[in-house]
Amino acid sequence: MTTKKEIIGNYDTTARIYDMQYREEQLLKISFTLKRVMPRAGDTVIDAGCGTGMLFEHLDHCGLLVGVDPSINMLREARKRTREGGNTELVLGDVEALPFRGGSCDVVFCISVLQLMDDPRRGLEEILRILKSRGSFAATLIRKARFAQDLDRFVRGAFVELYDSESMKDVFLIGQRID
Ligand SMILES: C[S@@+](CC[C@H](N)C(=O)[O-])C[C@H]1O[C@@H](n2cnc3c(N)ncnc32)[C@H](O)[C@@H]1O
């Protein structure tokens, strides 16, 4: 089994060529996601496992956008998509222990990250913890990952819909915290 350290090491090594390899694929997922979850102007938005920050280009209107990733080299690439005085901050961190207060965020995205965890439920619990009541989230993971088709059953305290289509590489869990 690949350890977390090895996973992060792999992203550190390949950060520079990530966009070249995956941009097209990730943009399809981002487009699918944003049709279902689009933050409002002024929202506080977290991109958990932001990678090179491809999502940032679509979220200029948010109040605060925080990209979190445990790979320093992925964050270095993401930095290129931010600008001085812009709305985006970058944080070295882990979706299993997000450095935000409970109930503090309007929207959380987590695209193509949960399949890297031993137990994706831990990431989902963390996403729900930091969301405000009625806050929205979108989490995707590759269709062939363990748990993928059952992910919606594991979520507590949220209204969720699972989108699973053979035409997409990921399944999409779109939800809203309700409490
Ligand atoms: C497949 S990439 C997806 C990046 C980005 N979300 C996108 O759509 O292009 C997976 C990312 O998750 C990050 N990652 C790996 N383990 C993580 C963890 N435990 N918490 C947060 N991010 C993690 C990796 O460093 C990498 O940047």
Side-chain angles (χ1 to χ4, degrees):
M1 204 174 81
T2 320
T3 65
K4 190 180 275 199
K5 203 172 160 193
E6 287 166 338
I7 290 170
I8 297 167
N10 287 340
Y11 281 104
D12 272 336
T13 307
T14 56
R16 279 185 177 220
I17 56 165
Y18 179 83
D19 280 15
M20 219 163 52
Q21 277 188 304
Y22 297 111
R23 184 171 163 81
E24 214 174 305
E25 182 180 324
Q26 293 312 105
L27 285 181
L28 277 179
K29 298 175 196 175
I30 286 171
S31 160
F32 186 96
T33 299
L34 292 178
K35 280 188 191 128
R36 286 153 186 89
V37 179
M38 178 53 89
R40 288 164 303 190
D43 275 356
T44 297
V45 178
I46 309 302
D47 184 5
C50 64
T52 58
M54 281 187 219
L55 189 61
F56 300 173
E57 296 165 11
H58 308 269
L59 298 176
D60 245 2
H61 63 286
C62 299
L64 174 65
L65 170 60
V66 186
V68 180
D69 203 284
S71 157
I72 187 75
N73 285 345
M74 291 298 261
L75 288 181
R76 284 195 176 109
E77 295 301 311
R79 170 70 63 209
K80 297 175 187 167
R81 288 197 159 93
T82 66
R83 61 188 160 75
E84 192 83 39
N87 68 346
T88 310
E89 302 287 338
L90 298 175
V91 175
L92 191 70
D94 189 323
V95 68
E96 288 188 53
L98 290 167
F100 308 103
R101 274 184 295 115
S104 60
C105 308
D106 297 293
V107 180
V108 182
F109 294 102
C110 186
I111 298 181
S112 304
V113 177
L114 295 178
Q115 73 269 7
L116 301 169
M117 302 174 60
D118 295 341
D119 186 350
R121 284 173 291 195
R122 288 211 299 272
L124 283 173
E125 278 167 14
E126 223 4 41
I127 288 168
L128 282 171
R129 180 187 69 76
I130 66 168
L131 272 179
K132 292 177 185 171
S133 179
R134 304 273 164 198
S136 301
F137 71 93
T140 87
L141 78 170
I142 50 174
R143 293 185 71 235
K144 60 182 185 205
R146 208 160 47 104
F147 293 133
Q149 278 74 18
D150 295 321
L151 208 59
D152 51 341
R153 297 204 203 141
F154 299 135
V155 183
R156 305 249 178 282
F159 168 76
V160 286
E161 278 185 278
L162 187 75
Y163 295 83
D164 182 12
S165 150
E166 278 180 21
S167 64
M168 298 297 288
K169 223 168 183 174
D170 284 21
V171 297
F172 296 75
L173 190 67
I174 306 288
Q176 191 177 44
R177 179 170 163 177
I178 38 165
D179 55 18

